[in-house]
């Protein structure tokens, strides 16, 4: 299972190579992925409004698996109007180490999207197979937000199993609309955006009579509205609202984006690990009630399946016989845990933690 929870993974994109000779910059005959290095990177990127770059290491297994999909996507996108260019940099090469450092490459493969001649850098957070890469990047070179004119438009654009951000306006002009489009451009690699003049066209939520930012999501309250159109305020709202009250960490890859968000959160992290096949029903409702109680109080909650979280147990130095196990990791790296916990013990233990009555957990070496 590949997730950024225990190891870093990123991605970068490149486009608009209509007037460019690919072979002149290191691509072998027949290859559509442009090969860049420290000698031609800046010159190439500066000539494009949109570029996609993969930083890779030849020894990396994930890079080797991505390579044929990346090449296939590059071949398809080379005929897009305008052409969308995918490039790669061997970040393991000593001569490219300074370039890798500049882009803060910490894991392989890392892909990033470079816009406006490299002035705007975003992480690629899309699929890793060719068709998914193609679909994702086509959206990235189009408008940052799609207009929703009908129920059919909404049905085609909004995937009810994903987060979707919609701006509802009386007219497509004015300060609120301009700031919404600024936000959409800034976060377009993270979320899908749409805008409409009629909230009744959307699958969830009531009509509104003022500019409204509506976030549609496949969990918890399913939609939530926001009315402060300051860009920073909207960004903070989206980041907080797009994390479930309780994040589920199992083998289902559709949950992994939310798991990534959980671990990227600045909050303290409460993680309850249980055997989903035997104990999930006993714990899930109780744990969510506790999470609701602590919402907005600096703690994020995750419910993890033992089978999918062997890496977590190794990371914390724990063993399966300690489950059901609740562990809290604070922003300063302190860890607090209680093993073999029962559902009705969760709330009292968290209260003790908040009151400073729980001692930090210190992993010790086995007795010689």
């Amino acid at each position: 299972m590949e997730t950024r929870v225990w190891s870093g993974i990123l991605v970068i994109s490149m486009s608009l190579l209509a007037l460019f000779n690919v072979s002149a910059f290191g691509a072998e005959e027949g290859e559509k992925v442009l090969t860049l290095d420290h000698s031609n990177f800046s010159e190439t990127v500066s000539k494009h409004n949109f570029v996609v770059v993969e930083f890779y290491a030849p020894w990396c297994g994930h890079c080797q698996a991505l390579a044929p999909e990346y090449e296939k996507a590059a071949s398809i996108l080379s005929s897009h109007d305008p052409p969308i260019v995918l490039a790669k940099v061997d970040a393991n090469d000593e001569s490219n180490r300074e370039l890798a450092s500049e882009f803060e490459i910490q894991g392989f493969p890392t892909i990033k999207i470079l816009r406006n001649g490299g002035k705007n850098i975003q992480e690629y957070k899309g699929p890793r197979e060719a068709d998914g890469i193609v679909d994702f990047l086509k959206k990235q070179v189009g408008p940052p937000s799609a207009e929703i004119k009908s129920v059919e438009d909404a049905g085609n654009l909004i995937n009810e199993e994903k987060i979707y951000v919609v701006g509802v306006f009386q007219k497509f002009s004015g300060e609120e609309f301009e700031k919404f489009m600024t936000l959409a451009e800034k976060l377009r690699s993270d979320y899908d955006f749409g805008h409409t003049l009629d909230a009744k066209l959307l699958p969830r939520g009531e009509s509104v009579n003022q500019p409204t930012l509506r976030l549609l999501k496949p969990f918890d309250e399913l939609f939530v509205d926001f009315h402060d159109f300051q860009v920073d305020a909207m960004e903070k709202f989206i980041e907080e609202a797009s994390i479930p009250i309780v994040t589920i960490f199992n083998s289902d890859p559709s949950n992994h984006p939310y798991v990534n968000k959980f671990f990227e959160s600045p909050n303290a992290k409460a993680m309850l690990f249980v055997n989903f096949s035997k104990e999930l029903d006993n714990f899930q409702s109780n744990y969510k009630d506790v999470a609701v109680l602590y919402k907005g109080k600096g703690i994020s909650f995750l419910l993890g399946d033992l089978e999918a979280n062997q890496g977590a147990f190794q990371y914390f130095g724990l063993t399966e016989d300690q489950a059901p196990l609740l562990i809290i990791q604070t922003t300063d790296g302190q860890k607090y845990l209680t093993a073999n916990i029962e559902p009705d013990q969760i709330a009292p233990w968290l209260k003790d933690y908040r009151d400073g009555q729980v001692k930090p957990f210190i992993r010790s070496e086995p007795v010689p």
Side-chain angles (χ1 to χ4, degrees), residues 210-261:
Q210 63 176 316
T212 299
L213 185 73
R214 177 165 294 173
L215 188 143
L216 306 171
K217 52 185 180 176
F219 51 81
D220 299 337
E221 66 270 50
L222 300 183
F223 82 94
V224 58
D225 289 346
F226 191 70
H227 299 107
D228 184 348
F229 274 81
Q230 298 302 313
V231 174
D232 289 347
M234 288 189 289
E235 186 172 1
K236 182 180 179 182
F237 159 74
I238 291 172
E239 287 301 310
E240 292 178 351
S242 62
I243 299 176
I245 293 173
V246 173
T247 299
I248 301 298
F249 190 2
N250 56 11
S251 57
D252 183 353
S254 67
N255 287 328
H256 294 172
Y258 306 117
V259 175
N260 291 336
K261 285 180 177 293

Side-chain angles (χ1 to χ4, degrees), residues 272 283 286-287 290 326 341-350:
L272 175 63
F283 280 89
N286 184 289
Y287 192 55
V290 174
L326 178 58
I341 193 170
E342 297 292 335
D344 59 1
Q345 295 173 336
I346 294 173
W349 186 83
L350 273 164

Side-chain angles (χ1 to χ4, degrees), residues 46-108:
S46 66
K47 294 184 178 181
H48 296 82
N49 289 327
F50 182 91
V51 186
V52 184
V53 184
E54 175 202 4
F55 290 87
Y56 73 97
W59 48 261
C60 167
H62 291 311
C63 301
Q64 295 166 9
L66 175 63
E69 299 296 319
Y70 198 62
E71 179 64 37
K72 181 180 177 182
S75 179
I76 296 171
L77 292 170
S78 65
S79 59
H80 185 268
D81 185 18
I84 298 175
V85 178
L86 276 62
K88 61 184 179 182
V89 172
D90 181 355
N92 194 60
D93 190 316
E94 187 64 37
S95 65
N96 295 326
R97 290 294 175 86
E98 185 174 340
L99 190 61
S101 177
E102 177 186 346
F103 285 89
E104 301 179 347
I105 305 305
Q106 298 178 343
F108 303 110

Side-chain angles (χ1 to χ4, degrees), residues 261-276:
K261 285 180 177 293
F262 171 86
F263 281 97
E264 291 167 356
S265 165
N267 291 339
K269 295 162 181 63
M271 296 164 278
L272 175 63
F273 297 105
V274 302
N275 186 322
F276 275 22

